[in-house]
Amino acid sequence: MAEIVIVPDASSAGALVAGMILELIDARPDAVLGLATGSTPLAVYRALAEGARGLDVSRVRGFALDEYVGLPEGHPESYRSVIEREVVTPVGFDPRRIRVPNGAHETIRTAGAEYEDAIRAAGGIDLQLLGIGTDGHLGFNEPGSSLASLTRVKTLTEQTRRDNSRFFDSIDDVPLHCITQGVGTILRARHLVLLAFGEAKADALRAAVEGPVSASVPASAVQLHPHATVVIDEAAASKLDRAEYYRYAYENKPDWQGL
Ligand code: PGA
């Protein structure tokens, strides 16, 4: 079972998870991070920027989870731009060591396999940050995605396009396609850290951690992983049946159990 940590708010989650990442970088200066985009991980990146001040993080490597297909280079909402703006610049990572799937039309047929090769060549991802979509998606693996899938092109659901239209002028500007690490890619990371905040995520979160493992809820794949940590606020936890048990387990967590 994933470890479920219920915290008061997003900034507490940010501090907790940034602490895990800093500990990892301290132990392994060339650690490989899996980076998520969207609103959810921003609290982690803010805390990380603060905690990394004065530290040498120039050897850290990173792989974004996903990217839109077909946005022009330099588009402010391309995940390449978002990762540079929200993570690389504030934290001080070396941009040459941070990769994002290539969503250019011209090379899209080979972009997935290339990304898989790059992750493999880096020795795999040490810690993968994840959000969850209101439809249960993981990365951009929409419901129905194979639990064994690798990095490839997917078609975004209307729900995801609607959710993400807040970053664009209108829903019509949200691309139809994306390239995303597959569920199988994500499961190869050594530690998964899934975050969710707010009531809007409560149903998806419950299905992911307490429902059956199913391609219909790609985030339920975290149940298959031997080392998954789910950090959520009270609102996202509000529909969980076993919330009291998760709190009890965390409060009584032995020191030797580690992160
Ligand atoms: P959000 O997206 O953080 O913007 O809510 C999460 C996701 O789609 O995985």
Side-chain angles (χ1 to χ4, degrees):
M1 189 191 93
E3 177 181 35
I4 304 195
V5 184
I6 303 170
V7 293
D9 50 32
S11 72
S12 324
L16 181 72
V17 175
M20 292 178 191
I21 296 173
L22 290 167
E23 200 167 301
L24 171 66
I25 297 172
D26 192 42
R28 190 170 172 206
D30 63 345
V32 183
L33 301 178
L35 301 167
T37 44
S39 308
T40 306
L42 294 178
V44 174
Y45 299 140
R46 270 194 290 270
L48 192 57
E50 203 142 298
R53 231 174 265 155
L55 284 185
D56 179 11
V57 294
S58 64
R59 291 173 60 203
V60 171
R61 295 164 295 166
F63 289 90
L65 265 180
D66 42 20
E67 175 61 292
Y68 293 111
V69 170
L71 285 183
E73 210 181 315
H75 188 290
E77 293 310 326
S78 75
Y79 285 168
R80 160 55 67 194
S81 300
V82 171
I83 289 277
E84 298 243 0
R85 189 167 66 234
E86 308 287 0
V87 193
V88 174
T89 306
V91 180
F93 291 146
D94 177 351
R96 290 165 307 183
R97 289 174 175 254
I98 309 294
R99 291 193 57 151
V100 178
N102 183 353
H105 274 137
E106 303 73 38
T107 47
I108 199 68
R109 280 173 197 276
T110 50
E114 228 165 64
Y115 207 61
E116 290 291 328
D117 288 346
I119 294 174
R120 208 173 307 114
I125 290 170
D126 290 309
L127 184 151
Q128 175 67 60
L129 288 173
L130 297 162
I132 179 171
T134 58
D135 64 357
H137 73 205
L138 189 68
F140 269 147
N141 294 283
E142 299 287 26
S145 294
S146 160
L147 300 182
S149 51
L150 301 179
T151 305
R152 73 224 181 283
V153 170
K154 288 291 291 181
T155 307
L156 296 173
T157 61
E158 274 299 301
Q159 190 172 334
T160 297
R161 293 182 70 229
R162 213 170 23 248
D163 286 348
N164 286 10
S165 64
R166 67 189 192 281
F167 297 115
F168 293 82
D169 290 337
S170 85
I171 187 171
D172 300 328
D173 295 333
V174 183
L176 277 171
H177 296 102
C178 63
I179 173 165
T180 180
Q181 285 189 33
V183 182
T185 317
I186 292 167
L187 288 176
R188 286 179 189 161
R190 288 182 273 280
H191 183 192
L192 302 184
V193 180
L194 185 145
L195 299 131
F197 309 124
E199 172 113 45
K201 298 289 174 73
D203 284 317
L205 205 266
R206 176 172 193 268
V209 300
E210 293 184 341
V213 173
S214 163
S216 297
V217 182
S220 66
V222 298
Q223 295 180 49
L224 296 170
H225 197 281
H227 188 193
T229 310
V230 174
V231 185
I232 54 181
D233 67 0
E234 296 285 347
S238 59
K239 304 222 167 132
L240 295 177
D241 285 336
R242 291 191 291 270
E244 283 319 305
Y245 172 68
Y246 307 138
R247 281 186 233 278
Y248 173 75
Y250 190 63
E251 278 160 19
N252 291 290
K253 183 173 171 173
D255 285 343
W256 51 259
Q257 209 169 23
L259 297 173

